Amino acid sequence: MAAGSGAASGHGARASTAALEASLDRRFQGVSNTMESIQGLSTWCIENKKHHGLIVRYWMKWLKKSDTNHRLNLFYLANDVIQNCKRKNAIAFRSAFAEVLPNAAYLIKDGKVRKSVERIFTIWEERSVYSEDLIAHTLIDQLSVHKRAIDEEVFREKQLEALRVDVCSTEALKRLKDKAGGNKFATDFEEGSLKLQEFVSFLEEELKTGPPLQDALGNADIFYEMQYKEVKIVANAYNAFANRVASLKRKLDALKSTLPGPEFSPVPSPSEDAPSPTGSDSPILGLGASRASLDPELDGKAMDEGDLVRDSVGPEDMDMSDEEGDSSMS
């Protein structure tokens, strides 16, 4: 009975997984660019957070299969899941998406759609969801893998060159004289043939990884070209501002040169032997009488009486973290 129940349980689990996969295919294929569709599927994904790995894997599957416009819908969906998963205690989605997002970004080749996707990445960076290095690091990893593959290719070529038998030449067969030489030739030939087959298999694998790397480099070129243009716009704006400041300084310097010097002051300076002012001539005599009208914020008594000055900062001026937002909403 125990074995039978175990088999039934395993069959039920497989059936449940198959049903979930079919549901994911249907949902990812049908998601549209409306807010209702995206938020509805996002909520469903977060509610099924225990299957986050499978959900992200199928998201990537449909991203590869879909056309350009539908890929943008899927990115909008990912954005909604990534930004709302933390407050729903489903933060695992962020790390799961981080593993596939760089390769996913390389699939976006249309200029208009790429601009929208880059805007999503910018929002993530501004809100400290993901860093700007997310794509760059993956590209560096791909280039490192490619560099190692080139080194291995050179090493295998040197191995083939060092073989004692040229497996591609028939001239060696004509030089055979006896059985011992024939046996040695057969052994060397088999060894060389094996290494040649391994090298051909290695090159076939490299042919598969080459085009994706070329696409990644092409997309990276577009991405960094756009980043360069944005930086150039900011740099030009600062240069223009610096030029305006320098122009204003020159005008102020020119105006300053036309002003009279201190020796032409309209207020005559007292002579060196002039007596100090006393009595009613004192310029600070009236300060005592006006003390009662001083601003209480400047009066020491206000501090003693606890009448502290407070800044008028409203709640709309404060940024709340996810945790603070949750607690305030509850």
Side-chain angles (χ1 to χ4, degrees), residues 43-54:
T43 300
W44 182 87
C45 291
I46 293 175
E47 288 175 350
N48 290 273
K49 58 188 177 183
K50 65 179 180 179
H51 302 293
H52 63 272
L54 182 64

Side-chain angles (χ1 to χ4, degrees), residues 28-250:
F28 284 142
Q29 184 179 14
V31 65
S32 67
N33 62 350
T34 64
M35 184 178 297
E36 180 181 2
S37 176
I38 291 171
Q39 291 183 346
L41 183 50
S42 172
T43 300
W44 182 87
C45 291
I46 293 175
E47 288 175 350
N48 290 273
K49 58 188 177 183
K50 65 179 180 179
H51 302 293
H52 63 272
L54 182 64
I55 291 173
V56 172
R57 190 161 66 249
Y58 267 69
W59 177 87
M60 189 66 183
K61 167 189 171 182
W62 277 100
L63 192 75
K64 293 178 179 178
K65 293 176 62 174
S66 303
D67 59 22
T68 299
N69 292 329
H70 195 65
R71 284 175 176 174
L72 183 57
N73 298 342
L74 292 172
F75 260 100
Y76 285 148
L77 170 64
N79 176 55
D80 200 85
V81 172
I82 289 169
Q83 294 210 57
N84 291 291
C85 64
K86 185 176 182 181
R87 65 170 60 96
K88 301 293 181 60
N89 196 27
I91 195 67
F93 273 106
R94 288 192 180 179
S95 56
F97 271 109
E99 296 178 1
V100 301
L101 280 173
N103 290 331
Y106 296 144
L107 296 174
I108 307 301
K109 299 177 181 179
D110 182 83
K112 294 181 180 179
V113 175
R114 171 162 285 277
K115 189 173 182 180
S116 299
V117 172
E118 287 175 354
R119 175 57 185 156
I120 294 174
F121 274 86
T122 301
I123 292 173
W124 290 341
E125 181 184 357
E126 291 173 350
R127 299 181 181 180
S128 300
V129 177
Y130 294 121
S131 67
E132 183 183 356
D133 297 334
L134 182 64
I135 295 180
H137 284 170
T138 301
L139 180 59
I140 291 173
D141 291 341
Q142 286 181 299
L143 290 173
S144 299
V145 170
H146 182 64
K147 177 63 169 58
R148 289 194 296 269
I150 292 177
D151 294 339
E152 185 175 355
E153 180 181 341
V154 172
F155 174 74
R156 289 175 180 268
E157 286 181 348
K158 290 181 178 179
Q159 279 187 326
L160 290 175
E161 292 174 357
L163 290 176
R164 289 168 290 183
V165 176
D166 185 359
V167 296
C168 299
S169 175
T170 58
E171 294 296 326
L173 294 174
K174 299 177 181 180
R175 295 194 296 268
L176 294 178
K177 298 180 179 179
D178 53 22
K179 183 178 180 180
N183 291 336
K184 183 176 182 304
F185 176 84
T187 302
D188 294 340
F189 186 86
E190 289 178 0
E191 180 184 354
S193 297
L194 180 61
K195 290 187 178 297
L196 183 61
Q197 290 174 3
E198 292 175 352
F199 185 61
V200 170
S201 299
F202 172 78
L203 292 179
E204 288 175 348
E205 290 298 322
E206 287 303 298
L207 287 175
K208 296 178 182 178
T209 60
L213 179 58
Q214 287 181 330
D215 291 341
L217 290 172
N219 292 329
D221 181 64
I222 296 173
F223 173 78
Y224 287 112
E225 179 66 22
M226 295 183 66
Q227 292 291 95
Y228 170 74
K229 290 180 180 178
E230 293 178 3
V231 170
K232 192 174 181 179
I233 291 173
V234 174
N236 290 337
Y238 274 108
N239 286 333
F241 176 74
N243 291 335
R244 290 196 298 270
V245 171
S247 176
L248 179 60
K249 182 180 183 301
R250 287 192 297 270

